[in-house]
Amino acid sequence: ETGVTQTPRHLVMGMTNKKSLKCEQHLGHNAMYWYKQSAKKPLELMFVYSLEERVENNSVPSRFSPECPNSSHLFLHLHTLQPEDSALYLCASSQDNTGELFFGEGSRLTVL
Amino acid sequence: SQQGEEDPQALSIQEGENATMNCSYKTSINNLQWYRQNSGRGLVHLILIRSNEREKHSGRLRVTLDTSKKSSSLLITASRAADTASYFCATDNYGQNFVFGPGTRLSVLP
């Protein structure tokens, strides 16, 4: 148990669906991250929130929409995804954006 | 890009042997971290080494950092089957966010 909880752990959706991934951290950290992990590719940083403000958005398509309502919660809203978006989506948190990252177990997304 | 690159991509050893993985990067860093990932799970932080440090130990783990060569190594001594996992280095470039390498997949055979 790392103190970072992601739900759901598995999600299957069609290309026209709208769904959301949720991340919650119980560590009192002030930075939260979304990473995408595809087969045979390095982890890709998608979004960073520091003190609830988005500080990085690495050219992620608009069909991915993050939301950080408070320092403990992070969402990734998904709509009209493509099959190539199928991947493991990992949430992480840290105290400041230069310290150790604490990862959740990930949400395995399959887009049909 | 400051992306770390681990090598080898895959490593297979017998239980009890030592495993060494390397990481190279391209730009100046503030610190370098090593993470471990069991198949399909989240990453777990192993060790952080700062740019002014040359070596760190944690249990059976030993990490070295050579900033002149822009490289780091992770040594796991007396490996166990439970060490089977993927290992990633991540570099932090003075407040810019972590960039991970593609990882080394380690298999420890009983």
Side-chain angles (χ1 to χ4, degrees), chain B residues 46-108:
Chain B
L46 295 176
I47 200 162
L48 179 153
I49 186 164
R50 301 194 186 282
S51 59
N52 61 353
E53 297 176 311
R54 292 296 167 259
E55 189 171 309
K56 270 187 107 165
H57 297 255
S58 177
R60 293 184 295 113
L61 305 181
R62 173 178 166 246
V63 168
T64 61
L65 179 64
D66 186 334
T67 52
S68 66
K69 294 181 180 178
K70 292 185 170 60
S71 68
S72 173
S73 67
L74 170 67
L75 168 67
I76 303 174
T77 60
S79 64
R80 306 166 182 168
D83 294 327
T84 294
S86 292
Y87 292 82
F88 298 87
C89 69
T91 51
D92 161 33
N93 184 14
Y94 294 99
Q96 295 183 28
N97 292 290
F98 303 106
V99 179
F100 286 80
T104 292
R105 187 170 22 251
L106 173 66
S107 298
V108 180

Side-chain angles (χ1 to χ4, degrees), chain B residues 11-71:
Chain B
L11 179 62
S12 188
I13 60 174
Q14 295 295 132
E15 212 165 18
E17 294 181 338
N18 296 342
T20 299
M21 289 157 270
N22 303 296
C23 171
S24 59
Y25 57 91
K26 296 177 181 175
T27 62
S28 297
I29 60 169
N30 183 34
N31 66 60
L32 184 146
Q33 304 186 34
W34 284 91
Y35 289 80
R36 164 201 167 116
Q37 183 182 35
N38 285 46
S39 181
R41 309 287 296 272
L43 280 73
V44 176
H45 181 264
L46 295 176
I47 200 162
L48 179 153
I49 186 164
R50 301 194 186 282
S51 59
N52 61 353
E53 297 176 311
R54 292 296 167 259
E55 189 171 309
K56 270 187 107 165
H57 297 255
S58 177
R60 293 184 295 113
L61 305 181
R62 173 178 166 246
V63 168
T64 61
L65 179 64
D66 186 334
T67 52
S68 66
K69 294 181 180 178
K70 292 185 170 60
S71 68

Side-chain angles (χ1 to χ4, degrees), chain A residues 13-33:
Chain A
M13 59 188 288
M15 289 192 284
T16 58
N17 291 158
K18 290 185 180 181
K19 297 284 184 184
S20 296
L21 305 181
K22 179 183 175 182
C23 178
E24 184 174 0
Q25 59 100 356
H26 309 276
L27 302 167
H29 289 163
N30 59 14
M32 296 187 76
Y33 310 74

